Amino acid sequence: MSRPRAKMTNNFPGCPVESTLSFLDGKWKGVILYHLLSDGTLRFNELRRRLASVTQRMLTKQLRELEENGLITRTVFPVVPPRVDYALTPLGESLRPVIVALDSWGKQHVRCQDGQRHVVEMPEEGKSAA
C-alpha cells in the first residue's frame, strides 16, 4: 500500500469505504482478485496471461501487496522449474460480493469499442434504450 493512501486512511478511521479501498487500490488488484475468484488457484504465468498488459514487475508488486494484506496466499513448490501458486484466503474470498458488484456494474454501464471505454447510462424507466 502506498504511503499517501495509508496516511489518508489513518486520518479517517471512521470511513469504512476509504479503508476498504485502501486494500484494493492499484490498477490490477481488483482484476487479480476477480480472476482468483472466477478461476480458483492460479500460477503466476496464468495470471500474467490473463492480464496481458501488466508488466511482470507490476504484477509481482500487486501480488505481494495482496499477500501482505492477507487477501491471497502464495505457495512456492520446490521443483524445477519453479512453481508458484496464488489463491484467495478466506478474507480474500469475503470480497466476493464487492468484486461481483463491480463486475455487474461494468457489464451494465461500460462498453468497450475501438480500444476505448465508454460509460453508458441506464435508460430511464418507461423509455427504450437507443
Side-chain angles (χ1 to χ4, degrees):
M1 179 168 39
S2 63
R3 287 252 182 238
R5 175 75 67 169
K7 287 180 183 177
M8 279 197 324
T9 303
N10 291 337
N11 290 332
F12 301 102
C15 182
V17 172
E18 180 68 26
S19 297
T20 302
L21 287 174
S22 72
F23 291 105
L24 299 176
D25 71 343
K27 183 174 182 178
W28 302 105
K29 288 181 187 175
V31 181
I32 292 167
L33 292 171
Y34 170 80
H35 285 294
L36 291 173
L37 282 165
S38 300
D39 304 323
T41 300
L42 294 171
R43 293 183 182 181
F44 181 85
N45 283 328
E46 290 173 317
L47 278 166
R48 192 157 179 220
R49 279 190 290 274
R50 284 169 171 79
L51 289 83
S53 58
V54 69
T55 64
Q56 182 171 338
R57 181 176 181 215
M58 180 55 70
L59 180 56
T60 299
K61 180 179 185 275
Q62 300 281 276
L63 288 166
R64 283 184 183 152
E65 290 178 12
L66 288 167
E67 184 182 13
E68 286 172 14
N69 290 327
L71 300 176
I72 65 171
T73 59
R74 177 179 187 262
T75 305
V76 180
F77 296 89
V79 295
V80 177
R83 177 178 154 202
V84 180
D85 285 353
Y86 293 91
L88 291 170
T89 63
L91 183 62
E93 181 66 39
S94 72
L95 284 168
R96 180 177 293 277
V98 175
I99 301 300
V100 167
L102 289 170
D103 179 52
S104 177
W105 190 91
K107 286 176 180 174
Q108 290 178 11
H109 298 286
V110 180
R111 300 293 175 262
C112 299
Q113 291 178 290
D114 305 321
Q116 302 266 328
R117 286 183 295 237
H118 305 280
V119 176
V120 179
E121 291 188 39
M122 290 184 66
E124 294 179 34
E125 281 191 41
K127 294 183 181 179
S128 61

